[in-house]
Amino acid sequence: MTNVVTRETPRPITPHSILVAQLQKTLKLAQENLIPSEILDSLSEAVELAKGLDPYLGDYTTPESSALKALAEKTSQEDWGKRFSDCETVRQLEQEMLSGHLEGQTLKMFVHMTKAKGILEVGMFTGYSALAMAEALPTDGRLIACEVDPYVAQFAQDCFSQSPHGEKIVVEVAPALETLRKLAAKKESFDLIFIDADKKEYVEYLEIILAQNLLTANGLICVDNTLFQGQVYLPAEKRTANGEAIAEFNRVVATDPRVEQVLLPVRDGITLIRRVV
């Protein structure tokens, strides 16, 4: 008998998707408690306005390649609840860690805009963002991806093998800080660096990148999850450890005279950083 894998609905993890879920919950409660029609109508309009944004963004963003679509589908069908990393601090893996269509195409656009030939990805998961960026690299371009989990790294490489762009990707299986130090010792530098790994190490990643000149003179750093479910601007008592780590990272970046930055509300927040000193 063939086992049928049921695809679960991804839980809300971005400020906008959490807002939609809260509005829908509030509307349901209002309907059940016979709230006046004027309030129900206002809530219904708010839900409609909020709920329609993400699908509209996806519909009017260039479609993902067949290889990216297959990678996302394979990731959604994996039972991540049974998979844990082998690093010292065990982290549970989940399909929501995938960058996804909108962010993948955003990163791909940044590669085209910067004309990057060398990319460093700090934190890979199943490789969606890595493959999206690799699709924009020239044939002689190279992307080095850091991933701490051997199972996830092999999962990604199996997906990369299904794309002609996969050969541009080199996966380094080790803690990200270890790989960054190794690359710095080899005097490597990159035109674009994408950070999406252990949130509590973000400040240290940035310091190594800047202090060890891992970023080329006109290079761009893209940092994921810098809104972290909205926790960064909610009261501190509502933050998780990761939420507080990202809030601290944002404060550090904003006060670092070596860089300038802009925080974009794409999915869970992407901060673009360039060196000015």
Side-chain angles (χ1 to χ4, degrees):
M1 180 177 179
T2 302
N3 291 325
V4 177
V5 179
T6 302
R7 183 173 182 175
E8 296 182 0
T9 302
R11 66 181 179 85
I13 59 167
T14 68
H16 182 259
S17 63
I18 292 170
L19 174 62
V20 170
Q22 291 283 16
L23 283 171
Q24 290 175 320
K25 179 181 178 181
T26 303
L27 177 59
K28 183 178 180 182
L29 289 171
Q31 291 168 333
E32 292 172 350
N33 288 278
L34 303 178
I35 299 297
S37 60
E38 293 86 352
I39 297 177
L40 284 175
D41 289 344
S42 180
L43 271 173
S44 295
E45 289 179 10
V47 168
E48 185 177 4
L49 182 64
K51 188 172 68 172
L53 179 60
D54 279 349
Y56 189 86
L57 293 175
D59 288 344
Y60 287 88
T61 294
T62 299
E64 62 194 347
S65 67
S66 58
L68 286 171
K69 185 176 181 179
L71 190 156
E73 187 67 26
K74 184 177 179 182
T75 300
S76 74
Q77 293 176 350
E78 181 78 7
D79 187 357
W80 295 110
K82 296 181 179 178
R83 299 290 178 188
F84 294 85
S85 72
D86 295 328
C87 56
E88 293 180 3
T89 304
V90 175
R91 62 184 174 119
Q92 186 166 357
L93 305 173
E94 54 184 351
Q95 72 175 68
E96 287 82 8
M97 295 170 71
L98 188 89
S99 296
H101 173 218
L102 181 62
E103 187 168 359
Q105 293 303 307
T106 300
L107 292 170
K108 189 173 179 177
M109 187 69 76
F110 289 154
V111 178
H112 283 301
M113 292 168 64
T114 59
K115 296 180 171 57
K117 293 188 69 174
I119 299 173
L120 173 63
E121 181 172 60
V122 185
M124 180 183 67
F125 189 43
T126 57
Y128 190 97
S129 52
L131 185 56
M133 290 187 287
E135 289 180 348
L137 279 172
T139 54
D140 60 343
R142 179 185 62 152
L143 186 152
I144 294 179
C146 309
E147 175 52 51
V148 68
D149 191 306
Y151 178 85
V152 175
Q154 187 58 57
F155 184 104
Q157 288 177 317
D158 291 344
C159 294
F160 297 157
S161 67
Q162 304 303 309
S163 167
H165 301 283
E167 62 187 21
K168 303 172 189 174
I169 302 171
V170 176
V171 180
E172 293 283 349
V173 183
L177 289 172
E178 180 182 315
T179 300
L180 289 176
R181 294 186 182 109
K182 182 175 76 172
L183 293 170
K186 294 168 62 177
K187 305 297 183 184
E188 296 269 16
S189 61
F190 301 88
D191 305 309
L192 190 151
I193 299 176
F194 179 50
I195 299 175
D196 184 17
D198 187 339
K199 311 312 171 193
K200 293 182 285 296
E201 294 182 348
Y202 268 29
V203 171
E204 197 166 356
Y205 298 151
L206 182 64
E207 183 55 35
I208 291 176
I209 288 166
L210 295 177
Q212 300 297 324
N213 296 314
L214 282 168
L215 186 70
T216 57
N218 296 308
L220 178 68
I221 302 171
C222 304
V223 188
D224 199 17
N225 302 117
T226 48
L227 288 178
F228 204 81
Q229 303 173 13
Q231 292 182 27
V232 293
Y233 53 82
L234 293 176
E237 61 269 18
K238 294 190 176 184
R239 294 175 189 157
T240 60
N242 280 339
E244 181 56 41
I246 294 298
E248 175 60 19
F249 172 79
N250 290 342
R251 289 191 289 268
V252 167
V253 173
T255 57
D256 192 326
R258 297 172 295 179
V259 302
E260 64 179 21
Q261 71 287 333
V262 59
L263 202 168
L264 304 176
V266 176
R267 286 196 82 241
D268 202 28
I270 299 177
T271 296
L272 306 183
I273 302 172
R274 77 179 190 94
R275 185 162 193 158
V276 293
V277 176

